[in-house]
């Protein structure tokens, strides 16, 4: 039996793609081992959103061949799609597969092994020439996490000036609603209690399909046609949160009251330069409206710091916006120039050291704000999906995406949603006590 190992970099969509490919290999008789162990085949699912993502991808490639010089090293994902010739020329790379050829990965690897190839095989197509969602059957046994990602959308049409994703994932492509529901039912039957809807441009789901179904429609169908206990959504563009989506979130406590809405900058000047489709005032007003409209809502965000032209005064404007909005979490990233994007050639590039300092300042701010928010939650009862348990203590995420450690569990509650009364805050974790369901 051939052994296989996986390494995944980047976003939730990449994690879902790895789960899909893992299932394909396992269904063909492969046995999975840890990436740090000796394997016959190594699959590296790469990221190209930042320079660091590409650097780590190259490190994994080199590491795989050191672990087993006779192994087959497969490189896929965004970096493979963006730079297939560069990667195929790297020492140790045997197969390069783009972002829309993953369904063929087992056949391509088996062909490489069977034919005793001496040169790398490259299977990368122009993503702009294909406008249909790539269906790959997801084998629930191949999902590594307690919470299951369910990819319903691929690609993006926004072309923000800093972003390489439209060039590596192509145009927006939505999965047909019936296929989404069928996969959700499959995951639930296998025992998953929480499903996370994921996509590159999740809020635009359905605009490319003839019937133009919406994200709200998918949520309603999941509530009506499945027994999923908890539904969470991935990142959504703020302008795409409409009244219909608000109504369906409010219609059921099975939908988590947490939204991840990328801000990217708190300055109108930079938002315009980034080609974002909203102003600071529009974003702030939306957050205020959502918090007033959705009970118990928490909001997290993404932020790019050191974007070209970000002066000290514009950074201070962003800090003031963050102070006012009080996000539950801020994922702050230093701007990373992506060759081929408009921002990479803009004037007034910000020095790396300045970017790091600004990221550090924002990280300090989010730690303070997160602790303040957690303090306000003390005494409340939350629902926690236990991901791992030792003795009578378990740990997992609440419905509003806070990490909670639950004590006093009277039995084995792994992969189960339990009620917990929050008692204490420590670092980035809430401590709670188990409470019997009512």
């Amino acid at each position: 039996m051939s052994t296989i190992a996986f390494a995944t970099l980047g976003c939730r969509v990449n994690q879902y793609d790895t789960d899909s490919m893992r299932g394909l290999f396992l269904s063909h008789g492969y046995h999975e081992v840890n990436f740090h162990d000796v394997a016959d085949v190594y699959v590296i699912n790469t990221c190209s959103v930042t320079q660091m993502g590409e650097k780590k991808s190259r490190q994994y490639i080199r590491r795989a061949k050191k672990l087993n010089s006779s192994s087959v090293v497969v490189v896929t994902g965004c970096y493979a799609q963006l730079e297939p010739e560069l990667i195929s020329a790297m020492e140790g790379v045997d197969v390069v597969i783009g972002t829309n050829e993953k369904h063929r990965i087992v056949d391509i690897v088996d062909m490489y092994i069977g034919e005793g190839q001496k040169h790398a095989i490259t299977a990368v197509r122009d993503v702009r020439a294909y406008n249909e969602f790539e269906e790959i059957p997801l084998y629930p046994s191949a999902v590594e996490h307690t919470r299951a990602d369910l990819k319903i959308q691929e690609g993006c049409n926004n072309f923000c000036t800093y972003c390489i994703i439209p060039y590596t994932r192509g145009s927006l492509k939505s999965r047909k609603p019936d296929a989404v529901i069928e996969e959700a039912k499959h995951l639930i039957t296998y025992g998953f209690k929480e499903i996370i809807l994921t996509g590159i441009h999740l809020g635009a789901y359905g605009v490319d399909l003839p019937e133009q179904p919406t994200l709200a429609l998918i949520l309603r169908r999941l509530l009506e046609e499945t027994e999923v206990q908890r539904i969470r959504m991935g990142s959504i563009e703020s302008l795409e949160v409409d009244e219909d989506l608000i109504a369906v979130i409010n219609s059921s406590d099975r939908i988590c009251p947490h939204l991840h809405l990328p801000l990217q900058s708190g300055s109108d000047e930079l938002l315009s330069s980034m080609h974002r489709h909203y102003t600071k005032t529009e974003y702030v007003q939306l957050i205020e409206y959502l918090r007033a409209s959705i009970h118990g809502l928490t909001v997290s965000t993404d932020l790019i710091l050191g974007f070209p032209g970000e002066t000290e005064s514009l950074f201070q404007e962003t800090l003031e916006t963050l102070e006012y909005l009080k996000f539950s979490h801020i994922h702050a990233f230093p701007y990373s120039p992506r060759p081929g994007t408009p921002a990479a050639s803009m004037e007034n590039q910000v020095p790396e050291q300045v970017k790091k300092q600004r990221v550090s300042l924002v990280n300090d701010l989010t730690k303070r704000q997160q602790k303040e928010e957690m303090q306000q939650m003390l005494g409340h009862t939350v629902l926690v999906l236990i991901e791992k348990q030792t003795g009578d203590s378990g740990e997992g995420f609440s419905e509003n995406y806070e990490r909670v450690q639950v004590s006093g569990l009277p039995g084995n509650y792994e992969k189960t949603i339990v009620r917990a009364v929050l008692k204490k805050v420590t670092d980035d974790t809430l401590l709670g006590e188990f409470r019997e369901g009512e």
Side-chain angles (χ1 to χ4, degrees):
M1 179 183 294
S2 297
T3 55
I4 188 162
F6 296 87
T8 307
L9 297 103
C11 62
R12 280 195 175 279
V13 173
N14 256 20
Q15 184 59 61
Y16 176 92
D17 290 343
T18 295
D19 289 341
S20 298
M21 291 184 287
R22 178 183 293 109
L24 292 175
F25 277 103
L26 297 182
S27 69
H28 281 76
Y30 281 77
H31 172 69
E32 186 178 8
V33 298
N34 189 283
F35 190 85
H36 302 292
D37 295 332
V38 174
D40 298 311
V41 180
Y42 293 93
V43 176
I44 302 156
N45 194 0
T46 62
C47 175
S48 197
V49 171
T50 66
Q51 292 175 340
M52 183 57 68
E54 292 182 353
K55 179 180 179 181
K56 288 183 178 179
S57 298
R58 294 191 295 269
Q59 289 173 343
Y60 275 110
I61 293 168
R62 290 191 290 268
R63 186 181 304 167
K65 218 62 175 182
K66 287 181 180 179
L67 288 166
N68 181 6
S69 60
S70 61
S71 65
V72 176
V73 175
V74 183
V75 184
T76 185
C78 288
Y79 192 23
Q81 182 69 41
L82 187 66
E83 299 283 4
E85 294 180 358
L86 184 152
I87 291 175
S88 63
M90 287 183 64
E91 183 178 356
V93 174
D94 302 302
V95 178
V96 182
I97 297 178
T99 55
N100 54 6
E101 288 289 308
K102 298 181 293 294
H103 65 286
R104 296 176 52 216
I105 188 169
V106 178
D107 291 339
I108 293 171
V109 170
D110 286 350
M111 179 180 69
Y112 180 89
I113 295 172
E115 296 182 1
Q117 296 279 347
K118 294 183 179 180
H119 302 286
I121 292 179
T122 301
V124 178
R125 299 186 299 175
D126 184 354
V127 291
R128 296 169 295 182
Y130 298 90
N131 297 313
E132 291 190 5
F133 186 91
E134 183 185 25
E135 284 285 352
I136 303 176
L138 179 65
Y139 295 82
S141 59
V143 179
E144 286 191 322
H145 308 285
T146 305
R147 300 172 292 136
D149 291 315
L150 175 49
K151 181 172 146 184
I152 70 171
Q153 181 276 326
E154 175 69 277
C156 182
N157 297 342
N158 273 358
F159 287 93
C160 297
T161 58
Y162 53 81
C163 188
I164 200 69
I165 292 299
Y167 306 94
T168 62
R169 295 278 182 171
S171 62
L172 192 145
K173 297 170 280 289
S174 301
R175 196 171 191 177
K176 293 179 180 178
D178 287 348
V180 174
I181 301 305
E182 286 306 307
E183 184 161 299
K185 289 179 178 178
H186 198 34
L187 291 166
I188 295 160
T189 300
Y190 201 80
F192 288 98
K193 303 297 189 297
E194 180 178 314
I195 288 176
I196 306 169
L197 300 180
T198 63
I200 299 296
H201 190 174
L202 187 62
Y205 170 82
V207 300
D208 58 311
L209 296 177
E211 305 84 359
Q212 293 202 323
T214 62
L215 180 57
L217 180 139
I218 293 296
L219 290 170
R220 285 196 179 91
R221 287 195 60 178
L222 286 170
L223 291 173
E224 294 168 359
E225 301 177 36
T226 78
E227 297 179 356
V228 61
Q229 293 187 27
R230 197 151 85 177
I231 307 167
R232 195 181 298 279
M233 288 174 282
S235 178
I236 305 175
E237 291 297 326
S238 58
L239 295 183
E240 291 155 357
V241 182
D242 57 17
E243 293 294 340
D244 198 23
L245 188 59
I246 293 171
V248 71
I249 294 172
N250 279 330
S251 72
S252 174
D253 58 8
R254 292 159 64 191
I255 300 177
C256 294
H258 173 262
L259 293 173
H260 186 80
L261 307 175
L263 171 62
Q264 306 302 13
S265 174
S267 158
D268 282 341
E269 182 178 330
L270 292 180
L271 289 173
S272 176
S273 183
M274 290 176 173
H275 195 220
R276 302 294 287 173
H277 300 285
Y278 51 84
T279 65
K280 178 179 70 173
T281 298
E282 288 173 334
Y283 186 97
V284 170
Q285 289 176 345
L286 175 68
I287 299 299
E288 292 173 339
Y289 179 71
L290 292 175
R291 285 172 170 160
S293 303
I294 302 174
H295 177 69
L297 178 70
T298 57
V299 182
S300 56
T301 198
D302 290 332
L303 199 70
I304 296 174
L305 297 166
F307 187 78
E310 185 184 64
T311 62
E312 184 61 30
S313 63
L314 292 180
F315 172 64
Q316 290 301 321
E317 185 180 350
T318 291
L319 277 182
E320 291 171 6
T321 306
L322 300 177
E323 286 276 9
Y324 178 76
L325 288 172
K326 298 186 185 303
F327 293 104
S328 61
H329 300 269
I330 303 171
H331 303 288
F333 303 94
Y335 167 70
S336 182
R338 301 288 76 210
T341 63
S345 58
M346 287 181 178
E347 296 180 351
N348 300 316
Q349 297 284 330
V350 178
E352 291 300 320
Q353 187 58 38
V354 175
K355 295 179 192 177
K356 292 179 181 179
Q357 291 171 351
R358 291 175 181 175
V359 169
S360 179
L361 287 171
V362 171
N363 285 342
D364 290 342
L365 170 64
T366 191
K367 286 178 183 177
R368 173 169 57 79
Q369 290 185 335
Q370 182 184 10
K371 183 154 288 189
E372 290 172 357
E373 181 173 284
M374 291 193 296
Q375 290 285 354
Q376 294 174 4
M377 294 174 64
L378 296 182
H380 292 224
T381 299
V382 296
L383 299 173
V384 182
L385 174 57
I386 302 298
E387 297 188 341
K388 57 182 179 180
Q389 180 175 344
T390 303
D392 68 349
S393 179
E395 188 174 291
F397 285 95
S398 67
E399 60 269 49
N400 55 2
Y401 207 55
E402 295 293 351
R403 182 169 290 280
V404 181
Q405 186 174 325
V406 183
S407 62
L409 295 172
N412 182 11
Y413 283 83
E414 273 194 8
K415 299 183 180 180
T416 302
I417 296 176
V418 304
R419 295 167 65 85
V421 181
L422 301 177
K423 298 291 187 179
K424 188 179 179 181
V425 176
T426 172
D427 295 327
D428 61 348
T429 302
L430 283 156
L431 305 183
E433 295 178 359
F434 172 80
R435 171 173 285 182
E436 292 286 352
E438 297 176 357

